[in-house]
Amino acid sequence: MDLDLKLVRNTLVVKVQGELDMLIADKMRYEVDKKLEENNIKNLIINLEKVNFIDSSGLGVIIGRYKKISAVNGRMYIVGARPPVEKILHFSGINKLIPMYSSEQDIINI
Amino acid sequence: MNVKNYVRFEFQSLPENVAFARACVAAFAAQLDCTLDAIEEIKLVVSEAVSNSIIHGYGNRPNEKVVVAASIFDDRTLEIIVEDYGSGIKDVEKAIQPTFSSDPARMGLGFTFMKSFMDEMEILSKPGEGTSVRLKRSFFAKDKEAYA
């Protein structure tokens, strides 16, 4: 499975694996939105540790969830982005909107 | 300037085929002995162009055709052409503006990536007939800069 969703109190942790293009992006949009509607979720962590490629479809699904989480005054973080993916996140300016950390532990520590 | 090698393939307009298309072109471009960064950028631009054809050209209809052609010229230039026979783009100038998207859920960065990571981008489009995106990058110039 290229998507793993885990609920920790009011935070949804989404682990993505593989190449985050339109194929996974559509699945991710559907699965994450379903969880956001079902549960009282305030915060969202997108873990990209195991993602080796991202394009604008992947960026689109991240920014779309950011808008949803912001609308309920929640917080969103991106963790574990590896250099090629990190480069695209920076290029798009997403890093200015969504804080990026190297691991989930770093968020717990802040 | 002569063509040293080329590939041309077509596939059904399915999201599953976007990864196939970018992997094929990346494998072909590897003949240029360029940097891994450059290969990643090529994968990205192919992904963007093919996704555009499927999403915008065909409105996600799965039974249509996308054609990809890639050529390597003897001056170490790579040319990639991605073609669809879908709805076309009404206003190309507007479509290539950063953050323009016909779909609010998307970021509108596809053409920005193509323009940024390639040396040339040409879009031929006719509403109702389809779109052809031609991208070119010279590896001689870029690699020389990278190692300068």
Side-chain angles (χ1 to χ4, degrees):
Chain A
M1 184 64 181
D2 36 28
L3 264 185
D4 175 48
L5 281 73
K6 191 174 69 184
L7 197 59
V8 185
R9 288 188 294 276
N10 60 355
T11 300
L12 180 66
V13 183
V14 182
K15 278 191 186 167
V16 196
Q17 200 173 328
E19 305 198 321
L20 188 37
D21 65 2
M22 67 180 288
L23 183 65
I24 302 183
D26 286 346
K27 206 190 286 180
M28 183 172 158
R29 181 180 298 112
Y30 174 78
E31 296 288 340
V32 172
D33 285 359
K34 201 166 76 176
K35 275 269 187 289
L36 292 180
E37 279 160 27
E38 281 170 9
N39 302 278
N40 186 24
I41 292 165
K42 193 102 166 117
N43 309 312
L44 181 60
I45 296 173
I46 308 279
N47 187 325
L48 299 178
E49 248 164 44
K50 292 191 172 156
V51 171
N52 47 37
F53 175 85
I54 190 165
D55 65 10
S56 67
S57 297
L59 298 172
V61 72
I62 292 175
I63 205 78
R65 291 340 92 198
Y66 169 75
K67 285 179 187 164
K68 288 201 165 192
I69 288 292
S70 301
V72 294
N73 293 318
R75 288 178 183 208
M76 184 164 162
Y77 306 95
I78 293 172
V79 300
R82 285 158 38 184
V85 172
E86 197 179 24
K87 175 178 149 186
I88 302 304
L89 293 171
H90 280 263
F91 189 93
S92 69
I94 271 188
N95 59 312
K96 289 178 191 147
L97 294 173
I98 308 170
M100 288 170 55
Y101 292 93
S102 49
S103 72
E104 284 176 35
Q105 194 58 40
D106 289 348
I107 299 172
I108 297 164
N109 292 341
I110 57 173
Chain B
M1 202 169 46
N2 298 310
V3 173
K4 221 174 138 191
N5 194 4
Y6 81 93
V7 289
R8 185 184 155 90
F9 55 97
E10 60 178 61
F11 51 88
Q12 217 178 308
S13 52
L14 286 168
E16 287 84 346
N17 290 335
V18 181
F20 166 79
R22 66 173 173 261
C24 280
V25 178
F28 178 73
Q31 294 170 26
L32 283 158
D33 233 352
C34 47
T35 61
L36 280 178
D37 269 2
I39 294 288
E40 285 300 318
E41 289 166 5
I42 289 161
K43 274 167 77 178
L44 179 66
V45 300
V46 173
S47 205
E48 298 299 344
V50 172
S51 299
N52 273 353
S53 288
I54 296 175
I55 298 166
H56 303 291
Y58 293 129
N60 290 305
R61 290 193 309 278
N63 295 316
E64 308 286 350
K65 182 167 78 175
V66 181
V67 178
V68 175
S71 306
I72 292 172
F73 295 89
D74 51 13
D75 65 348
R76 287 175 51 80
T77 298
L78 173 72
E79 183 187 68
I80 304 165
I81 297 172
V82 177
E83 272 177 1
D84 67 64
Y85 307 95
S87 58
I89 303 167
K90 264 187 220 142
D91 187 342
V92 172
E93 279 308 308
K94 198 174 155 196
I96 62 172
Q97 292 306 309
T99 73
F100 170 81
S101 179
S102 52
D103 177 350
R106 306 185 58 80
M107 278 190 89
L109 281 171
F111 283 126
T112 306
F113 284 143
M114 291 183 234
K115 238 180 5 190
S116 305
F117 294 131
M118 301 300 277
D119 298 328
E120 281 176 41
M121 177 177 83
E122 188 187 28
I123 300 156
L124 300 171
S125 191
K126 229 176 174 182
E129 288 183 20
T131 302
S132 169
V133 176
R134 195 174 64 93
L135 303 160
K136 259 187 160 183
R137 177 161 163 180
S138 163
F139 284 92
F140 182 67
K142 289 256 160 148
D143 287 353
K144 222 172 143 189
E145 274 166 33
Y147 293 115

